[in-house]
Amino acid sequence: MLALCDCNSFYVSCEIVFNPKLRGQPVIVLSNNDGCVVSRSPEAKAIGIAMGIPAFKIRDLIEQHRIQVFSSNYALYGDLSRRVMATLATFTPELEVYSIDEAFLNLAGFPSHDLQHYAQRIRHTVEQWTGIPISIGIAPTKTLAKVAGSIAKSRPDGVFLLPMPPDEYLANTPIAEVWGIGRKYARSLQSHNISTALQLRGANLLWVGKTYNVVMQRLVLELRGQPCFNLETCPAPRQSITVSRSFGRPITTQPELREAIATYTSRAAAKLRQQHLTTAAIHIFAKTSRFQSDYYSEAITLTLPYSCDGRCCISRS
């Protein structure tokens, strides 16, 4: 059995940890260019704030409901994420950090009748030690654990153990919400009259492999309760590191832009060394807000003479 532990409204929860007065209030966190909503408190969701909506489209709602607005603070979120993952690691010998706010836990060997109680213990400990509330979905495979995790978020106790067979719950899961099914695949599957997870579960494996690929076949098997995706307890090294920030005001001079590029390059190099990695290329980009009529975007990739960890000299062009 696997447990998917998902931090609830993670970025907002991080802000509340350091400002408890925000608890119970509508709170949103914006992307690093203060452009779009990337996290919402339950109170903000109840008002009707949609995920990903541009901030300028909800200015009236923000003023009307006195919504607390925060810019993203990824240093804070990363630190709290590491604390949450370290806490989760005390409950199982095998853990996969799937994202900044999600982790899969291997619960193999734990008594099945005790999993609900054990999950409640995990939730209580994480919130007590870090201040971050989490929900936990439990199922035999990663794909089913994702389904269980979505259901757990709507339950008062924050835990859901998916029964087997899970037909009732898969029938209520739209195909677009199945883990690993993007918009393109969702549209394609719907054109073949497959609109729910249950219908995908019952699809012919040979047809799935011929029409799509082996990964889609594995998704079908996972929906049937057969594990096909193992826990990645030792993730592969990162292929890229990105440091991007927005400016509080328009930048109109080259000296200011050069200073910003130098600063962000230095930060990226520091991250590179922390992870004991090297790079052979640097990609630099600059753009204005995509919501402006005079939108501008430009980028350049610099190939280094040899791979380095950021301490090598780069000639200025």
Side-chain angles (χ1 to χ4, degrees):
M1 299 293 284
L2 299 175
L4 173 66
C5 298
D6 190 355
C7 300
N8 300 336
S9 304
F10 181 56
Y11 293 171
V12 165
S13 296
C14 291
E15 299 292 346
I16 292 175
V17 167
F18 286 89
N19 189 356
K21 292 182 180 179
L22 296 173
R23 197 176 305 277
Q25 298 185 41
V27 182
I28 61 174
V29 173
L30 304 180
S31 54
N32 57 10
N33 62 351
D34 284 351
C36 301
V37 175
V38 294
S39 186
R40 309 158 294 162
S41 68
E43 294 77 15
K45 294 177 185 178
I47 292 172
I49 304 297
M51 180 67 102
I53 188 170
F56 75 89
K57 290 187 176 181
I58 55 173
R59 286 172 183 165
D60 291 342
L61 281 176
I62 291 174
E63 294 180 3
Q64 178 184 350
H65 297 278
R66 297 183 179 178
I67 298 174
Q68 302 296 313
V69 182
F70 291 86
S71 298
S72 296
N73 184 346
Y74 294 115
L76 169 65
Y77 307 153
D79 179 64
L80 281 171
S81 174
R82 287 187 288 271
R83 296 185 193 184
V84 169
M85 301 308 168
T87 303
L88 292 174
T90 64
F91 288 93
T92 177
E94 292 186 358
L95 174 144
E96 175 188 335
V97 178
Y98 181 66
S99 68
I100 192 172
D101 61 348
E102 291 179 286
F104 287 102
L105 278 65
N106 186 357
L107 299 183
F110 291 82
S112 58
H113 64 273
D114 215 22
L115 290 179
Q116 191 87 13
H117 174 74
Y118 195 62
Q120 289 291 354
R121 181 181 163 192
I122 294 173
R123 287 189 73 246
H124 174 74
T125 303
V126 170
E127 187 160 10
Q128 184 180 42
W129 290 9
T130 68
I132 302 296
I134 67 171
S135 55
I136 302 177
I138 305 172
T141 70
K142 280 185 171 182
T143 306
L144 290 176
K146 275 283 191 176
V147 174
S150 297
I151 299 171
K153 285 183 175 295
S154 62
R155 294 177 64 88
D157 60 358
V159 173
F160 185 71
L161 176 59
L162 191 69
M164 297 298 291
D167 296 18
E168 174 188 351
Y169 301 97
L170 296 185
N172 293 321
T173 303
I175 192 66
E177 295 181 9
V178 175
W179 184 52
I181 301 293
R183 294 180 181 178
K184 181 180 177 181
Y185 280 135
R187 288 194 297 267
S188 176
L189 288 165
Q190 287 168 353
S191 70
H192 293 288
N193 297 318
I194 297 177
S195 57
T196 68
L198 181 62
Q199 291 172 329
L200 180 59
R201 181 176 185 264
N204 181 278
L205 276 180
L206 292 178
W207 174 84
V208 170
K210 183 178 179 180
T211 307
Y212 296 99
N213 50 44
V214 68
V215 176
M216 187 70 77
Q217 284 183 316
R218 290 171 182 169
L219 275 176
V220 173
L221 291 173
E222 287 249 327
L223 289 171
R224 296 176 182 178
Q226 179 178 332
C228 295
F229 302 119
N230 297 324
L231 287 185
E232 298 181 6
T233 55
C234 296
R238 297 177 62 176
Q239 298 300 306
S240 65
I241 291 175
T242 301
V243 177
S244 64
R245 297 290 186 274
S246 64
F247 302 100
R249 57 179 176 79
I251 298 300
T252 58
T253 66
Q254 286 190 0
E256 288 179 301
L257 189 58
R258 289 196 188 99
E259 182 180 351
I261 291 174
T263 299
Y264 298 159
T265 302
S266 176
R267 291 177 183 174
K271 289 186 177 182
L272 197 71
R273 291 190 291 272
Q274 288 172 0
Q275 299 176 37
H276 306 289
L277 301 175
T278 61
T279 185
I282 300 175
H283 182 75
I284 302 170
F285 62 92
K287 58 184 178 180
T288 60
S289 171
R290 65 178 181 274
F291 303 114
Q292 294 180 359
S293 58
D294 56 343
Y295 175 73
Y296 173 84
S297 178
E298 190 59 81
I300 185 174
T301 299
L302 305 176
T303 302
L304 304 181
Y306 53 86
S307 295
C308 70
D309 63 2
R311 283 177 287 197
C312 57
C313 295
I314 304 174
S315 61
R316 294 184 178 181
S317 58

